Amino acid sequence: MEQQPPTKPVGYWLNRTDAALTRYLDGMLAADGLTRLGWQVLNAIADDPEATDAAVLAVLAANGEATGLAGTVESLVTGGWAARPAPGRLALTDEGRARFARVAVRAGAFRKRVTAGVPDEEYRIAVAVLERIAHNAEAAADAAGYAGVRR
């Protein structure tokens, strides 16, 4: 029986995938004055009609440090993508919604490109497995009492 070469561990592929996604999205979004993190913040605001700074930071805690996320939120407000209809609240502006829709077309095309050849069921399985691994790793770190930022 022929022996298969060793497979890289999941962390290797997670890091490599994340870096490749960030590199492409940062490049694709630069013309719009956005980064991948900015795009993620816009999605969080668009998904929640009652969006607050705290909710956006909680949803995206795994995507960046709180200060970086807060800075990204402020840059989206300053850039006209989002507004503060009330203290601590966030909403897309009319211009932001229109710009968001235009960028969403390119983002959707990119998602199709990077998931080419991956059937929907395999994608769902991969996400479910990664979710379990993340929960297991977080629980292990919590049980061991390891301090640090919990993303």
Side-chain angles (χ1 to χ4, degrees), residues 47-71:
D47 288 346
D48 182 0
E50 300 296 319
T52 63
D53 285 87
V56 169
L57 295 178
V59 166
L60 296 175
N63 301 56
E65 298 296 327
T67 53
L69 282 166

Side-chain angles (χ1 to χ4, degrees), residues 72-113:
T72 298
V73 168
E74 289 311 314
S75 73
L76 294 171
V77 171
T78 302
W81 291 89
R84 295 189 175 284
R89 290 269 324 278
L90 292 161
L92 295 180
T93 62
D94 289 342
E95 178 187 349
R97 271 190 293 286
R99 291 162 66 191
F100 180 80
R102 286 191 299 271
V103 175
V105 172
R106 293 195 330 267
F110 172 65
R111 181 175 180 176
K112 284 182 183 176
R113 181 175 181 185

